[in-house]
Amino acid sequence: MRTHGWGGRVPVNDAEARSRILAATRTTIDTRGAATSIADVARELGVTRQTVYRYFGSTDELLAATAVDAVDALLERMTVQLRGIEAPDVAVVEGLVAVLEELRRDDYVGLLLRADRVSAPIVGEFTSEIGRVFARSIIERMDVDWAGRGYSDADLEVIIEIVLRTLQSMVIDPGDPQRSVDDARGFIDAWAGAAVRAMAAGG
C-alpha cells in the first residue's frame, strides 16, 4: 500500500484505502460531474495517480466501483417509491420507470450510464451476475406476493431478465426526443407489463 499523501492520515489497510478513494470520488463527482477522472480524485486525496491506479485500473473502473457502492441508497429510494403497489405488472412497470428516473438524476450510479460514459463493457454488465443481483433486489423489495399471484421461482428469473433487458435497451437508446415519464410508462407497460401479465395468465 502506498503511503505518500493521504492528507497526513495514511490508511491502515487496503480496505480503508479503497473506501477513502471512493469517498473522494463522490466528492469529486459532486463538483466535476461527468468530467471526473483519476487525476482529479488523486488531487482530492493528495496522492499520486499511480496510488489510485493500484486499486482501480481506469476511470471507468473507479466510477463503476463508486456506482456499486451507492446502489444500496438507490434501492432504499426505490423501496419507498414502490411501497403499497401489489399488482405484479404495475409494480414491474413502476419499478422500471422509477429506476430510469433515478439513473437520470443519480450522481453516482446514473453518471456511469449517461450518454458520454456508456461503453460496450458497461452495457454488457446489465445482464451480468451483478446486474441480476441488482434486479433481484428490486423485485424482492416490491410489495408483491409473487407466489400468491401464481409466479414460480422460474417465472421470477424471467421477470428479472425482462427488467434488465428493458433497462439495457432504454439506456442504450432513450429515444430522440427522449420520452416523457408518462410516455415511458405507457411504452414499458406495453412491453414489460404485458409480458408479466401474460405469465400470470399462463401465456
Side-chain angles (χ1 to χ4, degrees), residues 88-90 92-93 96 132 139 144 146-163 166 189-203:
D89 58 331
V90 177
V92 169
V93 170
L96 282 163
R132 296 185 74 84
I139 296 297
V144 176
W146 293 102
R149 295 276 188 156
Y151 293 86
S152 66
D153 289 342
D155 291 333
L156 291 182
E157 288 302 313
V158 172
I159 291 172
I160 285 168
E161 185 159 0
I162 288 171
V163 167
T166 302
D189 181 62
W191 182 1
V196 173
R197 288 190 289 274
M199 292 170 67

Side-chain angles (χ1 to χ4, degrees), residues 78-98 138-139 141-146 149 185:
M78 291 285 306
T79 300
V80 172
Q81 293 181 61
L82 297 176
R83 189 167 293 149
I85 301 176
E86 298 180 358
D89 58 331
V90 177
V92 169
V93 170
E94 291 304 317
L96 282 163
V97 170
I138 294 173
I139 296 297
R141 287 165 182 257
M142 292 176 176
D143 287 346
V144 176
D145 179 2
W146 293 102
R149 295 276 188 156
R185 181 177 285 109

Side-chain angles (χ1 to χ4, degrees), residues 29-203:
I29 289 171
D30 289 343
T31 56
R32 293 187 53 79
T36 294
S37 68
I38 280 182
D40 298 321
V41 174
R43 277 193 296 273
E44 176 69 25
L45 287 166
V47 299
T48 65
R49 284 180 295 174
Q50 287 72 23
T51 299
V52 180
Y53 277 120
R54 174 189 169 99
Y55 301 97
F56 302 97
S58 66
T59 296
D60 278 346
E61 184 180 328
L62 175 58
L63 292 178
T66 305
V68 169
D69 200 46
V71 160
D72 283 346
L74 185 149
L75 288 172
E76 285 301 320
R77 295 195 298 273
M78 291 285 306
T79 300
V80 172
Q81 293 181 61
L82 297 176
R83 189 167 293 149
I85 301 176
E86 298 180 358
D89 58 331
V90 177
V92 169
V93 170
E94 291 304 317
L96 282 163
V97 170
V99 169
L100 287 168
E101 284 301 296
E102 284 287 344
L103 292 179
R104 287 176 190 145
R105 293 192 299 259
D106 186 271
D107 288 333
Y108 310 125
V109 182
L111 176 65
L112 199 64
L113 302 176
R114 290 173 193 156
D116 56 349
R117 284 289 186 188
V118 169
S119 64
I122 291 169
V123 170
E125 283 297 311
F126 271 89
T127 51
S128 70
E129 185 55 31
I130 292 174
R132 296 185 74 84
V133 168
F134 174 71
R136 191 174 291 110
S137 295
I138 294 173
I139 296 297
E140 290 174 350
R141 287 165 182 257
M142 292 176 176
D143 287 346
V144 176
D145 179 2
W146 293 102
R149 295 276 188 156
Y151 293 86
S152 66
D153 289 342
D155 291 333
L156 291 182
E157 288 302 313
V158 172
I159 291 172
I160 285 168
E161 185 159 0
I162 288 171
V163 167
L164 289 174
R165 294 197 180 277
T166 302
L167 287 173
Q168 185 183 51
S169 174
M170 297 190 77
V171 165
I172 294 172
D173 183 7
D176 186 16
Q178 188 167 308
R179 290 181 175 88
S180 68
V181 174
D182 286 341
D183 285 346
R185 181 177 285 109
F187 177 74
I188 291 170
D189 181 62
W191 182 1
V196 173
R197 288 190 289 274
M199 292 170 67

